[in-house]
Amino acid sequence: MKPYKWRLYADNNIEKEIVDHLRESEMDVLWVAKDSKLKSQGDDLFHYRKARELGRYLLTHDEDFWHDIRFPLQRCPGVIILPTGDVELAKYLPQLLRKLLRDYNPLSEPLYLDGVKVKLTDEGVTIKMVNRDTQKKTAETWLWSELF
């Protein structure tokens, strides 16, 4: 089975150091800051929709994407929110995504984050999603010590 390659859409507020690290970790990262057409778009909703259109998970520091009224889970491309200014914590992202793929995916195919929001903090990670069976919103939080 071919290894799954994560496809990320890093918005303009993601640091170059994070993008470089993710690319070194064999992730496919489209960085808005290096694409003149995308960079000129300042609207968060545009980037939310563009990530979904391109089949990429939106990587951001912007906590506005955590709110489900403006950015509904049902139409979510998959959002990963990193804490602002903590480049070191962002380096755990490849490990975390691989762990999700390995430990929390009951399917034999890649784990897809559409309809899922992931928020990393200094304490741990919270995952919010719509349960595919019940259509109810659920959220789970793990401390870093529980994951690694």
Coordinates of all heavy atoms in Angstrom, one line a residue, residues 20-97:
D20 N 8.4 24.6 5.7 CA 9.6 23.9 5.3 C 9.7 22.6 6.1 O 10.0 21.5 5.5 CB 10.9 24.7 5.6 CG 11.1 25.9 4.7 OD1 10.4 25.9 3.6 OD2 11.9 26.8 5.0
H21 N 9.4 22.6 7.4 CA 9.4 21.4 8.2 C 8.4 20.3 7.6 O 8.7 19.1 7.5 CB 9.2 21.6 9.6 CG 9.1 20.4 10.5 ND1 10.2 19.7 10.8 CD2 8.0 19.8 11.0 CE1 9.8 18.6 11.5 NE2 8.5 18.7 11.6
L22 N 7.2 20.8 7.3 CA 6.2 19.9 6.8 C 6.6 19.3 5.5 O 6.4 18.1 5.2 CB 4.8 20.6 6.7 CG 4.2 21.1 8.1 CD1 3.0 21.9 7.8 CD2 3.9 19.9 9.0
R23 N 7.2 20.1 4.6 CA 7.6 19.6 3.3 C 8.7 18.6 3.5 O 8.8 17.5 2.8 CB 8.1 20.7 2.4 CG 6.9 21.5 1.9 CD 7.3 22.7 1.1 NE 6.2 23.4 0.5 CZ 6.2 24.6 0.0 NH1 7.3 25.3 0.1 NH2 5.1 25.1 -0.5
E24 N 9.6 18.8 4.5 CA 10.7 17.9 4.8 C 10.1 16.6 5.3 O 10.8 15.5 5.2 CB 11.7 18.5 5.8 CG 12.6 19.5 5.2 CD 13.3 20.3 6.2 OE1 13.3 19.9 7.4 OE2 13.9 21.4 5.9
S25 N 9.0 16.6 5.9 CA 8.3 15.5 6.5 C 7.4 14.8 5.4 O 6.5 14.0 5.7 CB 7.4 15.9 7.7 OG 8.2 16.4 8.7
E26 N 7.7 15.1 4.1 CA 7.0 14.5 3.0 C 5.5 14.9 2.9 O 4.7 14.0 2.5 CB 7.2 13.0 2.9 CG 8.7 12.7 2.8 CD 9.0 11.2 2.6 OE1 8.1 10.4 2.4 OE2 10.2 10.9 2.8
M27 N 5.2 16.1 3.3 CA 3.8 16.5 3.2 C 3.7 17.5 2.0 O 4.7 18.2 1.8 CB 3.3 17.2 4.5 CG 3.2 16.3 5.6 SD 2.3 17.0 7.0 CE 2.2 15.6 8.0
D28 N 2.6 17.4 1.3 CA 2.4 18.3 0.1 C 1.8 19.6 0.6 O 0.6 19.6 1.0 CB 1.5 17.5 -0.9 CG 1.2 18.4 -2.1 OD1 1.5 19.5 -2.2 OD2 0.5 17.8 -3.0
V29 N 2.5 20.7 0.6 CA 2.0 21.9 1.2 C 2.0 23.0 0.1 O 3.0 23.4 -0.4 CB 3.0 22.4 2.4 CG1 2.4 23.7 3.0 CG2 3.1 21.3 3.4
L30 N 0.8 23.5 -0.1 CA 0.6 24.7 -0.9 C 0.5 25.9 0.0 O -0.3 25.9 0.9 CB -0.7 24.6 -1.7 CG -1.0 25.8 -2.6 CD1 -1.3 25.3 -4.0 CD2 -2.2 26.6 -2.1
W31 N 1.5 26.8 -0.1 CA 1.6 27.9 0.8 C 1.1 29.2 0.2 O 1.6 29.6 -0.8 CB 3.1 28.0 1.3 CG 3.3 29.0 2.4 CD1 2.4 29.4 3.3 CD2 4.5 29.7 2.6 NE1 3.0 30.3 4.2 CE2 4.3 30.5 3.8 CE3 5.8 29.7 2.0 CZ2 5.3 31.3 4.3 CZ3 6.8 30.5 2.6 CH2 6.6 31.2 3.7
V32 N 0.0 29.7 0.7 CA -0.6 30.9 0.2 C 0.4 32.1 0.0 O 0.3 32.8 -1.0 CB -1.8 31.3 1.1 CG1 -2.4 32.7 0.6 CG2 -2.9 30.3 1.0
A33 N 1.3 32.2 0.9 CA 2.3 33.3 0.9 C 3.1 33.3 -0.3 O 3.7 34.3 -0.7 CB 3.1 33.3 2.2
K34 N 3.3 32.1 -1.0 CA 4.1 32.0 -2.2 C 3.3 31.9 -3.5 O 3.9 31.7 -4.5 CB 5.1 30.8 -2.1 CG 6.2 31.0 -1.1 CD 7.1 32.1 -1.5 CE 8.2 32.3 -0.6 NZ 9.1 33.3 -1.0
D35 N 2.0 32.1 -3.4 CA 1.2 32.1 -4.6 C 0.5 33.4 -4.8 O -0.4 33.8 -4.0 CB 0.1 30.9 -4.5 CG -0.7 30.8 -5.7 OD1 -1.3 31.7 -6.2 OD2 -0.8 29.6 -6.2
S36 N 1.0 34.2 -5.7 CA 0.5 35.6 -5.8 C -1.0 35.7 -6.0 O -1.7 36.6 -5.5 CB 1.2 36.3 -7.0 OG 1.0 35.6 -8.2
K37 N -1.7 34.8 -6.7 CA -3.1 34.8 -6.9 C -3.8 34.6 -5.6 O -4.8 35.2 -5.2 CB -3.6 33.8 -7.9 CG -3.2 34.2 -9.3 CD -3.6 33.1 -10.3 CE -3.1 33.4 -11.7 NZ -3.3 32.3 -12.6
L38 N -3.4 33.6 -4.8 CA -4.0 33.3 -3.5 C -3.7 34.3 -2.5 O -4.5 34.7 -1.6 CB -3.6 31.9 -3.1 CG -4.0 30.7 -3.9 CD1 -3.4 29.4 -3.4 CD2 -5.5 30.6 -4.0
K39 N -2.4 34.8 -2.5 CA -2.0 35.8 -1.5 C -2.8 37.1 -1.5 O -3.1 37.7 -0.5 CB -0.5 36.1 -1.7 CG 0.1 36.9 -0.6 CD 1.5 37.1 -0.8 CE 2.1 38.0 0.3 NZ 3.6 38.2 0.2
S40 N -3.3 37.4 -2.7 CA -4.0 38.7 -2.8 C -5.4 38.6 -2.2 O -6.1 39.6 -2.1 CB -4.1 39.1 -4.3 OG -4.8 38.2 -5.0
Q41 N -5.9 37.4 -2.0 CA -7.2 37.1 -1.4 C -7.1 37.2 0.1 O -6.5 36.4 0.8 CB -7.7 35.8 -1.8 CG -7.9 35.5 -3.3 CD -9.0 36.4 -3.9 OE1 -10.0 36.7 -3.2 NE2 -8.8 36.8 -5.1
G42 N -7.8 38.2 0.7 CA -7.7 38.4 2.1 C -8.9 37.8 2.9 O -8.9 37.8 4.1
D43 N -9.9 37.3 2.2 CA -11.1 36.8 2.8 C -10.9 35.4 3.3 O -10.6 34.5 2.5 CB -12.2 36.9 1.8 CG -13.5 36.4 2.3 OD1 -13.8 36.8 3.5 OD2 -14.2 35.7 1.6
D44 N -11.1 35.2 4.6 CA -11.0 33.8 5.2 C -11.9 32.8 4.5 O -11.6 31.7 4.3 CB -11.3 33.8 6.7 CG -10.3 34.5 7.5 OD1 -9.1 34.7 7.0 OD2 -10.5 34.8 8.7
L45 N -13.2 33.2 4.2 CA -14.1 32.3 3.5 C -13.6 31.9 2.2 O -13.8 30.7 1.8 CB -15.5 33.0 3.4 CG -16.7 32.2 3.2 CD1 -16.8 31.0 4.2 CD2 -18.0 33.0 3.2
F46 N -12.9 32.8 1.4 CA -12.3 32.4 0.2 C -11.4 31.2 0.4 O -11.4 30.2 -0.3 CB -11.6 33.5 -0.5 CG -10.8 33.1 -1.7 CD1 -11.3 33.0 -2.9 CD2 -9.4 32.8 -1.5 CE1 -10.6 32.6 -4.0 CE2 -8.6 32.4 -2.6 CZ -9.2 32.3 -3.8
H47 N -10.5 31.3 1.4 CA -9.4 30.3 1.6 C -10.1 29.0 2.1 O -9.6 27.9 1.8 CB -8.4 30.8 2.6 CG -7.6 31.9 2.0 ND1 -6.7 31.7 0.9 CD2 -7.5 33.2 2.2 CE1 -6.2 32.8 0.5 NE2 -6.6 33.8 1.4
Y48 N -11.1 29.1 2.9 CA -11.9 27.9 3.4 C -12.4 27.2 2.2 O -12.3 25.9 2.2 CB -13.0 28.5 4.3 CG -13.7 27.4 5.1 CD1 -13.2 26.8 6.2 CD2 -15.0 27.1 4.7 CE1 -13.9 25.9 7.0 CE2 -15.8 26.2 5.5 CZ -15.2 25.6 6.6 OH -16.0 24.7 7.3
R49 N -13.0 27.9 1.3 CA -13.6 27.2 0.1 C -12.6 26.7 -0.8 O -12.7 25.7 -1.4 CB -14.6 28.2 -0.6 CG -15.8 28.5 0.2 CD -16.7 29.5 -0.5 NE -17.9 29.7 0.3 CZ -18.6 30.9 0.2 NH1 -18.2 31.9 -0.5 NH2 -19.7 31.0 0.9
K50 N -11.5 27.5 -1.0 CA -10.4 27.1 -1.9 C -9.7 25.8 -1.5 O -9.4 25.0 -2.3 CB -9.4 28.3 -2.1 CG -8.5 28.1 -3.2 CD -9.2 28.1 -4.6 CE -8.2 28.2 -5.7 NZ -8.9 28.2 -7.0
A51 N -9.5 25.7 -0.2 CA -8.9 24.5 0.3 C -9.8 23.3 0.0 O -9.3 22.3 -0.4 CB -8.7 24.6 1.8
R52 N -11.1 23.4 0.2 CA -12.0 22.3 -0.1 C -12.0 22.0 -1.6 O -11.9 20.9 -2.0 CB -13.4 22.7 0.4 CG -14.4 21.6 0.2 CD -15.7 21.9 0.8 NE -16.7 20.8 0.5 CZ -16.9 19.9 1.4 NH1 -16.3 19.8 2.5 NH2 -17.8 18.9 1.1
E53 N -12.0 23.1 -2.4 CA -12.0 22.9 -3.9 C -10.7 22.1 -4.3 O -10.8 21.3 -5.2 CB -12.1 24.3 -4.5 CG -12.0 24.3 -6.0 CD -11.8 25.7 -6.6 OE1 -12.5 26.6 -6.1 OE2 -11.0 25.8 -7.5
L54 N -9.6 22.4 -3.7 CA -8.4 21.8 -4.1 C -8.1 20.5 -3.4 O -7.1 19.8 -3.7 CB -7.2 22.8 -3.8 CG -7.2 24.1 -4.6 CD1 -6.1 25.0 -4.0 CD2 -7.0 23.8 -6.1
G55 N -9.0 20.1 -2.5 CA -8.9 18.8 -1.8 C -7.7 18.8 -0.8 O -7.0 17.9 -0.7
R56 N -7.5 20.0 -0.2 CA -6.4 20.1 0.8 C -7.0 20.5 2.2 O -8.1 21.1 2.2 CB -5.5 21.2 0.3 CG -4.7 20.9 -0.9 CD -3.8 22.0 -1.4 NE -3.0 21.5 -2.5 CZ -1.8 21.0 -2.4 NH1 -1.2 20.8 -1.2 NH2 -1.1 20.6 -3.5
Y57 N -6.3 20.2 3.2 CA -6.6 20.6 4.5 C -6.1 22.0 4.8 O -4.9 22.2 4.6 CB -6.1 19.6 5.6 CG -6.5 18.2 5.2 CD1 -5.6 17.2 5.0 CD2 -7.9 17.8 5.1 CE1 -6.0 15.9 4.7 CE2 -8.3 16.5 4.8 CZ -7.3 15.6 4.6 OH -7.7 14.3 4.3
L58 N -6.9 22.8 5.4 CA -6.5 24.2 5.7 C -5.7 24.2 7.0 O -6.2 23.8 8.0 CB -7.8 25.1 5.8 CG -7.5 26.5 6.2 CD1 -6.7 27.3 5.1 CD2 -8.9 27.2 6.4
L59 N -4.5 24.7 6.9 CA -3.6 24.9 8.0 C -3.5 26.4 8.3 O -3.1 27.2 7.4 CB -2.2 24.3 7.6 CG -1.1 24.3 8.7 CD1 -1.5 23.4 9.9 CD2 0.2 23.9 8.1
T60 N -3.7 26.7 9.6 CA -3.8 28.2 9.9 C -3.5 28.4 11.4 O -3.5 27.5 12.2 CB -5.2 28.7 9.6 OG1 -5.3 30.1 9.8 CG2 -6.3 28.0 10.4
H61 N -3.3 29.7 11.7 CA -3.2 30.1 13.1 C -4.5 30.8 13.5 O -4.7 31.1 14.7 CB -2.1 31.1 13.3 CG -0.7 30.6 13.2 ND1 -0.2 29.5 14.0 CD2 0.4 30.9 12.4 CE1 1.0 29.3 13.7 NE2 1.4 30.1 12.7
D62 N -5.4 31.0 12.6 CA -6.6 31.8 12.7 C -7.7 31.0 13.4 O -8.3 30.2 12.8 CB -7.0 32.3 11.4 CG -8.1 33.3 11.5 OD1 -8.8 33.5 12.5 OD2 -8.4 34.0 10.4
E63 N -7.9 31.4 14.7 CA -8.9 30.6 15.5 C -10.3 30.9 15.0 O -11.3 30.3 15.5 CB -8.7 30.9 17.0 CG -7.4 30.3 17.5 CD -7.4 30.0 19.0 OE1 -8.5 29.9 19.6 OE2 -6.3 30.0 19.5
D64 N -10.5 31.9 14.2 CA -11.9 32.2 13.6 C -12.4 30.9 12.9 O -13.7 30.7 12.9 CB -11.9 33.4 12.7 CG -11.7 34.7 13.4 OD1 -11.8 34.7 14.6 OD2 -11.4 35.7 12.7
F65 N -11.6 30.1 12.3 CA -12.0 28.9 11.6 C -12.6 27.9 12.6 O -13.3 26.9 12.1 CB -10.9 28.3 10.8 CG -10.5 29.1 9.6 CD1 -9.3 29.9 9.6 CD2 -11.3 29.2 8.5 CE1 -9.0 30.6 8.5 CE2 -11.0 29.9 7.4 CZ -9.8 30.7 7.4
W66 N -12.4 28.0 13.9 CA -12.9 27.0 14.8 C -14.4 27.2 15.0 O -15.1 26.3 15.4 CB -12.1 27.2 16.2 CG -12.4 26.2 17.2 CD1 -13.1 26.3 18.4 CD2 -12.0 24.8 17.1 NE1 -13.1 25.1 19.0 CE2 -12.5 24.2 18.3 CE3 -11.3 24.0 16.2 CZ2 -12.2 22.8 18.6 CZ3 -11.0 22.7 16.5 CH2 -11.5 22.1 17.7
H67 N -14.9 28.4 14.7 CA -16.3 28.7 14.9 C -17.1 28.2 13.8 O -16.9 28.4 12.6 CB -16.5 30.3 15.0 CG -15.7 30.8 16.1 ND1 -16.0 30.6 17.5 CD2 -14.5 31.6 16.1 CE1 -15.0 31.2 18.2 NE2 -14.2 31.8 17.4
D68 N -18.2 27.4 14.1 CA -18.9 26.6 13.2 C -20.1 27.4 12.5 O -20.6 26.9 11.5 CB -19.5 25.4 13.8 CG -18.4 24.5 14.4 OD1 -17.3 24.5 13.8 OD2 -18.7 23.9 15.5
I69 N -20.4 28.6 12.9 CA -21.5 29.3 12.3 C -21.0 29.9 10.9 O -21.6 29.6 9.9 CB -22.0 30.4 13.2 CG1 -22.7 29.8 14.4 CG2 -23.0 31.3 12.4 CD1 -23.2 30.7 15.4
R70 N -19.8 30.5 11.0 CA -19.3 31.1 9.7 C -18.6 30.0 8.9 O -18.6 30.1 7.7 CB -18.3 32.2 10.0 CG -17.8 32.9 8.8 CD -17.3 34.3 8.9 NE -16.9 34.8 7.7 CZ -15.8 35.4 7.4 NH1 -14.9 35.6 8.4 NH2 -15.5 35.9 6.2
F71 N -18.0 29.1 9.6 CA -17.2 28.0 8.9 C -17.8 26.6 9.3 O -17.3 26.0 10.2 CB -15.7 28.1 9.2 CG -15.2 29.4 8.9 CD1 -14.9 30.4 9.9 CD2 -14.9 29.7 7.6 CE1 -14.4 31.6 9.5 CE2 -14.3 31.0 7.2 CZ -14.1 31.9 8.2
P72 N -18.9 26.2 8.7 CA -19.7 25.0 9.2 C -18.9 23.7 9.0 O -18.2 23.6 8.0 CB -20.9 25.0 8.2 CG -20.9 26.3 7.5 CD -19.6 26.9 7.6
L73 N -19.0 22.9 10.0 CA -18.3 21.6 9.9 C -18.7 20.8 8.7 O -17.9 20.1 8.1 CB -18.6 20.8 11.2 CG -17.7 21.0 12.4 CD1 -18.3 20.4 13.6 CD2 -16.3 20.5 12.1
Q74 N -20.0 20.8 8.4 CA -20.5 20.0 7.2 C -19.8 20.4 5.9 O -19.8 19.5 5.0 CB -22.1 20.2 7.1 CG -22.8 19.6 8.2 CD -22.9 20.5 9.4 OE1 -22.3 21.6 9.5 NE2 -23.7 20.1 10.4
R75 N -19.4 21.6 5.8 CA -18.7 22.0 4.5 C -17.2 22.2 4.7 O -16.5 22.8 3.9 CB -19.3 23.2 4.0 CG -20.8 23.0 3.5 CD -21.3 24.2 2.7 NE -21.5 25.4 3.5 CZ -22.5 25.7 4.3 NH1 -23.5 24.9 4.4 NH2 -22.5 26.8 4.9
C76 N -16.7 21.7 5.8 CA -15.3 21.9 6.2 C -14.3 21.1 5.4 O -14.5 19.9 5.2 CB -15.1 21.6 7.7 SG -13.5 21.8 8.3
P77 N -13.3 21.7 4.8 CA -12.3 21.0 4.0 C -11.4 20.1 4.9 O -10.6 19.3 4.4 CB -11.5 22.1 3.3 CG -11.6 23.2 4.3 CD -13.0 23.2 4.9
G78 N -11.5 20.4 6.2 CA -10.5 19.8 7.2 C -9.7 21.0 7.6 O -9.0 21.6 6.7
V79 N -9.8 21.4 8.8 CA -9.0 22.6 9.3 C -8.1 22.1 10.4 O -8.5 21.4 11.3 CB -10.0 23.7 9.8 CG1 -9.2 24.8 10.5 CG2 -10.8 24.2 8.7
I80 N -6.9 22.6 10.4 CA -5.9 22.3 11.4 C -5.4 23.7 11.9 O -4.8 24.5 11.2 CB -4.7 21.5 10.9 CG1 -5.2 20.2 10.3 CG2 -3.7 21.3 12.0 CD1 -4.2 19.4 9.5
I81 N -5.7 24.0 13.2 CA -5.3 25.3 13.8 C -4.1 25.1 14.7 O -4.2 24.3 15.7 CB -6.5 25.9 14.6 CG1 -7.7 26.1 13.6 CG2 -6.1 27.2 15.2 CD1 -9.0 26.4 14.3
L82 N -3.1 25.8 14.4 CA -1.9 25.7 15.2 C -1.8 27.0 16.1 O -2.3 28.0 15.7 CB -0.6 25.7 14.3 CG -0.5 24.6 13.3 CD1 0.7 24.9 12.4 CD2 -0.4 23.3 14.0
P83 N -1.2 26.8 17.3 CA -1.1 28.0 18.1 C -0.2 29.0 17.5 O 0.8 28.7 16.9 CB -0.5 27.5 19.5 CG 0.0 26.1 19.2 CD -0.7 25.6 17.9
T84 N -0.5 30.3 17.7 CA 0.3 31.4 17.1 C 1.7 31.4 17.8 O 1.8 31.4 19.0 CB -0.4 32.7 17.2 OG1 -1.7 32.6 16.6 CG2 0.4 33.8 16.6
G85 N 2.7 31.6 17.0 CA 4.0 31.8 17.5 C 4.8 30.6 18.1 O 5.9 30.7 18.6
D86 N 4.2 29.4 18.1 CA 4.8 28.2 18.6 C 5.3 27.3 17.5 O 4.6 26.4 17.1 CB 3.9 27.5 19.6 CG 4.7 26.5 20.4 OD1 5.8 26.1 20.0 OD2 4.1 26.0 21.4
V87 N 6.4 27.7 16.9 CA 6.9 26.9 15.7 C 7.3 25.5 16.2 O 7.1 24.5 15.5 CB 8.1 27.6 15.1 CG1 8.7 26.8 14.0 CG2 7.6 29.0 14.5
E88 N 7.8 25.4 17.4 CA 8.2 24.1 17.9 C 7.0 23.1 18.0 O 7.2 21.9 17.6 CB 8.9 24.2 19.3 CG 10.3 24.9 19.2 CD 11.2 24.2 18.3 OE1 11.4 22.9 18.4 OE2 11.8 24.8 17.4
L89 N 5.9 23.5 18.5 CA 4.7 22.7 18.6 C 4.3 22.2 17.3 O 3.8 21.1 17.1 CB 3.6 23.4 19.4 CG 2.4 22.6 19.7 CD1 2.7 21.3 20.5 CD2 1.3 23.4 20.4
A90 N 4.4 23.1 16.3 CA 3.9 22.7 14.9 C 4.7 21.6 14.4 O 4.3 20.8 13.5 CB 4.0 23.9 14.0
K91 N 5.9 21.4 14.9 CA 6.8 20.3 14.4 C 6.2 18.9 14.8 O 6.6 17.9 14.2 CB 8.2 20.5 14.9 CG 8.9 21.7 14.2 CD 10.3 21.8 14.6 CE 10.9 23.0 13.9 NZ 12.3 23.3 14.3
Y92 N 5.3 18.9 15.7 CA 4.7 17.6 16.1 C 3.5 17.2 15.2 O 3.0 16.1 15.2 CB 4.2 17.7 17.5 CG 5.3 17.7 18.6 CD1 5.6 18.8 19.2 CD2 6.0 16.5 18.9 CE1 6.7 18.8 20.2 CE2 7.0 16.5 19.8 CZ 7.3 17.7 20.4 OH 8.3 17.7 21.4
L93 N 3.1 18.2 14.3 CA 2.0 17.9 13.4 C 2.2 16.7 12.6 O 1.2 15.9 12.5 CB 1.7 19.1 12.6 CG 0.5 19.1 11.7 CD1 -0.8 18.8 12.5 CD2 0.3 20.3 10.9
P94 N 3.3 16.5 11.9 CA 3.4 15.2 11.1 C 3.2 14.0 12.0 O 2.5 13.0 11.5 CB 4.8 15.3 10.5 CG 5.1 16.8 10.5 CD 4.5 17.3 11.7
Q95 N 3.8 13.9 13.2 CA 3.7 12.8 14.0 C 2.2 12.6 14.4 O 1.7 11.5 14.4 CB 4.5 13.0 15.3 CG 5.9 12.5 15.3 CD 6.5 12.7 16.7 OE1 6.8 13.8 17.0 NE2 6.6 11.6 17.4
L96 N 1.5 13.7 14.8 CA 0.1 13.7 15.2 C -0.7 13.1 14.0 O -1.6 12.2 14.2 CB -0.4 15.0 15.6 CG -1.9 15.1 15.9 CD1 -2.2 14.3 17.1 CD2 -2.3 16.6 16.2
L97 N -0.5 13.6 12.8 CA -1.4 13.2 11.7 C -1.1 11.7 11.4 O -2.0 11.0 11.1 CB -1.1 14.1 10.5 CG -1.6 15.5 10.6 CD1 -1.1 16.3 9.4 CD2 -3.1 15.6 10.8

